[in-house]
Amino acid sequence: MTEQTKDQSIDGLCEKLASYCSQEELDEVRQAYEFASRAHAGQVRMSGEPYITHPLAVAYILADLQLDATAVVAALLHDVVEDTSVTDSNIVQTFGAEVASLVDGVTKLKRIRFDSREEQQAENLRKMFMAMARDIRVLIIKLADRLHNMRTLRYQTPATQMRKARETLEIFAPLAHRLGINTIKWELEDISLRYLNPQQYYRIVNLMARKRQEREQFIEGVMDVLRQKLGELNLKAEVSGRAKHIYSIYRKMTTQHKEFNEIYDLFAIRVTVESIKDCYGVLGVVHTMWKPMPGRFKDYIAMPKANMYQSLHTTVIGPNGEPLEIQIRTWEMHQTAEYGIAAHWVYKESGSRRVEDDFAKKLAWFREVLEWQQDFRDAQEFMETLKIDLFSDQVFVFTPKGDVIELPAGSVPIDFAYRIHTDIGNHCIGAKVNGKMVPLDYRLRTGDIVEVITSKHSYGPSRDWLKIVQSSQSKSKIRQWFKREKREENVARGREQIEREIVRQRLEPKQLLTSAGLAEAMHKFSFSREEDLYAAVGYGGLSAAQVVTRLVEVYRRSLEEKPVDSMSITKGQAKPSDTGVRVKGVDNVLIRFARCCNPVPGDDIVGFITRGRGVSVHRVDCPNVAALSAAETRTLEVEWATSKDWSYNAEIEVTALDRHGLVNEVLNAVAETKTDITAVSARADAKKVAHIHMSIRIRNLDHLRSVVERLKRIKDMYSVRRIIQ
């Protein structure tokens, strides 16, 4: 699949489609093109080209995949509802309900108000998944749409390029992999890397160019020898070379910590034959010609990958003692390897039963996605869970009868039990792996034979199972059990968790749990009753933090409607608030700590009266204090109260030599000082310097100093500093 060329036209598209579409279908494609051209008239892309070039390019990509005419028509129309005055009913009237359904599945949710770009994108992807469960062509059109947008990403701003490239690498490339559409997957990954890490991308390109001639001569020599040997044995086969993709090389260099000159499979040999019997015949020939490397043979024919990929992979010691990868597959397997689920449309006319069965099996994963996504009331949580499923590798285990069960890597026997049947999972009390009893948190490995032990007297799943199961399907079924079986208990637990979260954020439950706050939270998460909201938190379908975030937003808006000013603060006896700060001469006023400097007892502090948010307390040396004073915000004298044992948030950054176990050592050192950690993130730069950012809860400045001093005693430590933004 190549980049869009300037001479793409409707005539060229119809010429491509003519090999597998009827004249009537071609007429409808032309009608769709003319309809879209009129609708997009006057609109241009960032490149300056007429907008119609985009849907036309998307249609070309689908034609390369040999998708049916209905999908191509929907591709030509996929932006008319979103970007023009055309309505869904116009599409239905002109092109029918099937095309309209595909267009609606790809259309973004622009008419709904969202709090952030991330939330909007999460809801867009969730909508696409729901439409995709009805018709998988929705996702294939979306992938083609994203591919053309990535091909023309150079016309966007650097910030947009980074955001789109990261999103593509996290969501769309893994989705293409799940569907087995490698022609799209590889290009999405390579383009994303070009924008996310251009230095590494062009370094690999240049290194490949230098080594290409030498490697191609070697591969050509090996292919000639192999062709001759297969010809002597009357094995009809096509032998070709395959270059490794740039992102694949980059991943191998980063995950396996290899240098470029240590990667030997930059080029591989692919042998394509007529039948499965011939695949194993060619394998025998290859292994008699060159010695196979131990542990490097994979039979994806007998055990296909999750995305329907089938092939034999073997690595042999070739001429000159160099490792050489060889892939062997049939023509039908090759079509599926390149086009994945799109091969369903290529073979549907032939009535291939195997392809039909594979198609139904592939859709099973997406139906599961639709089932368990209903348990996530928040779209962003759904997307995070989806990413885990997309990125997880697979393990293949066996039932006692020899059936193969595919599970995400890291799965435990409980995942296996729920994959067999919901009731088996709910009544699971133990498991045997390879004939031996194992704990329920045992990590399954490919080739394991798993037997589940059940009991009718089981009390059902444990809440702890949610922490150890790997698949979203298992988590969904466990939550469903608690949702159904323990309604009253879930309501009480959910209410308690929400109140505890409110107190943890140093707020009062009675301030937040108002009818207005609860009404907005119910609307946000699609509940009709308060009890349903509490129950969802109780059984784990929704987190208490998500609900409290909504309640806090409502509470802050109510304060803005009654702004705090100098006239609304009453004089009286000085009294410490529930934050541990005393405002001199002022009582009953809302106090909050500025997040830019996070003051703690021992710091010199100053208060500012803000509109709608009470008194904001800053450190005197905070960079924002000068700006607040210049804005004529009223200043108040504040002081620390010492009568209670409050705790406060502090941000610290640790820099040290990057080495194995460093983060654990840092966390253990903080724990020794009896200090709570509320958040931690870590990264290492190119110079092997680790940067660890922590949010900790401390009592005062002396407590903070003791934490810092303890961290400084760690080996290879460069610096420990408190962060003021």
Side-chain angles (χ1 to χ4, degrees):
M1 199 174 289
T2 57
E3 277 205 32
Q4 177 198 15
T5 56
K6 295 280 186 181
D7 58 353
Q8 283 186 347
S9 65
I10 184 59
D11 291 333
L13 176 63
C14 289
E15 188 176 332
K16 270 180 172 287
L17 296 171
S19 62
Y20 65 93
C21 290
S22 67
Q23 185 59 48
E24 184 181 352
E25 289 173 326
L26 294 178
D27 291 342
E28 187 177 14
V29 169
R30 286 186 181 277
Q31 181 188 3
Y33 175 78
E34 291 166 4
F35 185 97
S37 294
R38 290 193 300 271
H40 291 298
Q43 295 180 349
V44 294
R45 305 199 82 215
M46 296 288 286
S47 61
E49 295 177 308
Y51 194 90
I52 190 62
T53 59
H54 169 63
L56 182 61
V58 174
Y60 259 81
I61 294 169
L62 296 189
D64 285 335
L65 296 174
Q66 294 193 27
L67 242 66
D68 62 337
T70 303
V72 175
V73 168
L76 289 167
L77 302 171
H78 79 272
D79 275 337
V80 294
V81 175
E82 183 180 338
D83 295 331
T84 75
S85 59
V86 173
T87 64
D88 293 327
S89 59
N90 295 147
I91 302 293
V92 173
Q93 290 168 7
T94 311
F95 298 98
E98 186 178 4
V99 170
S101 177
L102 292 174
V103 172
D104 179 66
V106 184
T107 301
K108 296 175 184 174
L109 302 170
K110 278 199 169 181
R111 297 180 182 88
I112 302 175
R113 176 184 170 273
F114 294 98
D115 294 335
S116 66
R117 181 196 296 273
E118 291 75 17
E119 183 180 357
Q120 180 175 7
Q121 180 63 352
E123 281 291 359
N124 285 332
L125 291 167
R126 188 176 193 169
K127 173 178 182 269
M128 181 186 71
F129 262 83
M130 296 183 70
M132 180 191 71
R134 296 191 298 271
D135 195 324
I136 197 68
R137 289 174 294 181
V138 168
L139 180 53
I140 301 177
I141 295 170
K142 186 63 182 176
L143 287 173
D145 171 60
R146 176 52 63 109
L147 177 57
H148 182 250
N149 282 331
M150 292 299 290
R151 288 173 175 176
T152 56
L153 197 58
R154 61 185 177 276
Y155 298 109
Q156 299 288 343
T157 63
T160 300
Q161 289 172 348
M162 292 291 287
R163 177 171 55 81
K164 291 284 187 184
R166 187 172 294 109
E167 183 181 85
T168 299
L169 205 55
E170 290 181 355
I171 301 293
F172 291 98
L175 280 172
H177 175 67
R178 270 285 187 173
L179 294 180
I181 310 177
N182 283 319
T183 54
I184 288 181
K185 176 207 172 193
W186 292 121
E187 192 173 349
L188 288 176
E189 288 179 337
D190 284 357
I191 297 174
S192 296
L193 180 63
R194 189 197 309 168
Y195 289 100
L196 290 173
N197 196 337
Q199 184 177 358
Q200 279 287 68
Y201 174 87
Y202 287 110
R203 174 173 174 261
I204 293 170
V205 168
N206 291 333
L207 288 171
M208 286 183 72
R210 291 179 207 163
K211 205 169 183 180
R212 183 177 297 275
Q213 187 175 359
E214 171 193 341
R215 292 295 296 171
E216 283 183 346
Q217 288 176 353
F218 169 74
I219 292 293
E220 281 295 336
V222 173
M223 288 194 299
D224 288 341
V225 172
L226 184 56
R227 285 192 193 102
Q228 182 179 347
K229 186 67 174 178
L230 293 176
E232 292 172 2
L233 298 172
N234 294 321
L235 277 169
K236 186 180 178 182
E238 179 177 300
V239 183
S240 59
R242 176 191 65 86
K244 202 172 187 70
H245 291 270
I246 297 167
Y247 182 75
S248 180
I249 296 171
Y250 169 77
R251 276 199 67 186
K252 183 167 282 192
M253 290 172 66
T254 53
T255 58
Q256 299 181 17
H257 306 291
K258 289 186 174 182
E259 292 298 324
F260 183 83
N261 57 12
E262 297 178 286
I263 299 175
Y264 296 102
D265 58 345
L266 296 174
F267 294 89
I269 291 177
R270 178 177 296 145
V271 183
T272 314
V273 295
E274 297 291 337
S275 67
I276 293 177
K277 180 185 73 173
D278 289 344
C279 289
Y280 290 99
V282 171
L283 178 68
V285 172
V286 168
H287 282 180
T288 57
M289 294 176 66
W290 301 294
K291 186 176 181 180
M293 291 181 65
R296 295 298 302 272
F297 169 66
K298 294 177 182 177
D299 188 344
Y300 293 120
I301 293 179
M303 297 180 66
K305 287 186 178 182
N307 59 8
M308 302 186 300
Y309 176 88
Q310 286 186 292
S311 192
L312 297 177
H313 287 200
T314 185
T315 302
V316 298
I317 304 297
N320 306 327
E322 285 198 42
L324 176 67
E325 183 183 23
I326 299 176
Q327 300 174 357
I328 309 165
R329 61 179 67 150
T330 67
W331 285 105
E332 190 172 319
M333 290 174 192
H334 178 65
Q335 193 77 9
T336 302
E338 293 299 302
Y339 303 127
I341 209 163
H344 165 76
W345 283 274
V346 177
Y347 283 107
K348 67 176 181 177
E349 296 302 327
S350 65
S352 169
R353 171 50 52 192
R354 190 188 69 77
V355 172
E356 291 290 338
D357 290 344
D358 285 343
F359 182 73
K361 188 185 299 182
K362 187 67 233 157
L363 286 184
W365 179 77
F366 292 104
R367 291 194 193 97
E368 289 174 13
V369 168
L370 185 63
E371 286 177 11
W372 56 252
Q373 71 91 23
Q374 295 171 1
D375 287 334
F376 296 101
R377 299 284 175 172
D378 183 81
Q380 288 172 291
E381 184 182 1
F382 163 70
M383 288 312 303
E384 290 305 314
T385 308
L386 175 66
K387 288 177 188 178
I388 293 171
D389 268 29
L390 287 175
F391 279 114
S392 63
D393 293 323
Q394 306 296 307
V395 295
F396 298 90
V397 297
F398 296 93
T399 67
K401 293 182 179 180
D403 295 328
V404 179
I405 303 296
E406 173 195 335
L407 294 167
S411 290
V412 298
I414 302 169
D415 290 295
F416 175 87
Y418 277 110
R419 180 58 59 88
I420 300 299
H421 196 279
T422 302
D423 284 342
I424 292 178
N426 287 339
H427 294 94
C428 173
I429 59 171
K432 289 183 179 180
V433 174
N434 303 324
K436 296 181 180 179
M437 290 294 296
V438 296
L440 289 177
D441 61 355
Y442 170 86
R443 295 290 182 91
L444 298 174
R445 294 188 289 265
T446 293
D448 283 343
I449 301 172
V450 187
E451 180 183 352
V452 178
I453 301 171
T454 62
S455 170
K456 292 182 179 179
H457 305 293
S458 164
Y459 289 107
S462 162
R463 290 188 183 278
D464 291 336
W465 288 7
L466 289 168
K467 300 174 184 176
I468 62 175
V469 294
Q470 183 67 24
S471 76
S472 301
Q473 180 192 31
S474 301
K475 291 179 181 178
S476 173
K477 291 181 176 179
I478 293 169
R479 290 192 184 103
Q480 286 173 5
W481 189 90
F482 283 109
K483 181 179 181 180
R484 183 178 64 251
E485 298 292 329
K486 299 189 177 183
R487 165 85 177 172
E488 292 183 6
E489 181 182 326
N490 287 333
V491 171
R493 180 183 288 107
R495 190 190 303 270
E496 179 185 343
Q497 288 178 2
I498 289 173
E499 291 182 354
R500 190 185 305 129
E501 177 65 19
I502 292 172
V503 172
R504 192 188 70 79
Q505 295 191 23
R506 301 198 301 276
L507 295 166
E508 286 289 334
K510 64 181 180 181
Q511 292 177 322
L512 269 62
L513 293 174
T514 61
S515 57
L518 289 169
E520 178 149 334
M522 287 188 291
H523 175 72
K524 163 64 180 174
F525 301 111
S526 304
F527 292 107
S528 57
R529 298 188 303 170
E530 288 182 22
E531 288 78 7
D532 295 337
L533 178 69
Y534 289 131
V537 176
Y539 70 74
L542 190 65
S543 72
Q546 289 173 294
V547 176
V548 172
T549 298
R550 289 288 160 182
L551 297 175
V552 170
E553 288 176 4
V554 176
Y555 177 63
R556 284 178 175 168
R557 284 204 302 269
S558 69
L559 291 176
E560 290 170 3
E561 292 170 3
K562 299 177 181 177
V564 176
D565 55 32
S566 58
M567 300 301 295
S568 64
I569 298 179
T570 58
K571 301 286 183 178
Q573 184 179 358
K575 176 183 175 182
S577 72
D578 59 0
T579 59
V581 169
R582 188 192 307 271
V583 181
K584 293 184 178 180
V586 178
D587 194 9
N588 298 328
V589 61
L590 177 68
I591 293 177
R592 66 181 183 87
F593 290 111
R595 297 184 65 181
C596 53
C597 56
N598 287 320
V600 299
D603 289 329
D604 293 330
I605 53 176
V606 62
F608 293 92
I609 299 177
T610 61
R611 286 190 69 83
R613 303 183 72 182
V615 175
S616 175
V617 178
H618 291 255
R619 288 175 54 168
V620 171
D621 58 353
C622 173
N624 291 327
V625 165
L628 287 167
S629 301
E632 298 184 353
T633 308
R634 182 177 171 185
T635 306
L636 284 177
E637 288 188 51
V638 292
E639 63 185 4
W640 295 105
T642 57
S643 57
K644 291 185 180 180
D645 189 18
W646 287 282
S647 65
Y648 304 86
N649 193 62
E651 307 281 331
I652 60 175
E653 184 180 58
V654 175
T655 57
L657 175 67
D658 185 30
R659 57 179 171 80
H660 181 71
L662 174 66
V663 174
N664 283 337
E665 197 170 337
V666 168
L667 297 180
N668 289 333
V670 176
E672 287 176 15
T673 64
K674 294 184 170 55
T675 304
D676 291 332
I677 301 173
T678 57
V680 63
S681 62
R683 64 179 179 85
D685 60 26
K687 297 180 180 179
K688 291 194 176 292
V689 176
H691 301 266
I692 304 173
H693 187 134
M694 288 188 293
S695 297
I696 59 176
R697 302 293 298 174
I698 60 170
R699 295 181 299 278
N700 50 43
L701 208 53
D702 289 338
H703 183 185
L704 177 61
R705 290 192 187 103
S706 69
V707 174
V708 171
E709 290 303 317
R710 174 62 186 88
L711 289 171
K712 286 181 176 178
R713 296 203 299 271
I714 295 176
K715 180 185 175 184
D716 301 323
M717 187 62 61
Y718 294 152
S719 68
V720 183
R721 68 184 185 91
R722 181 179 176 187
I723 299 174
I724 302 177
Q725 298 176 352

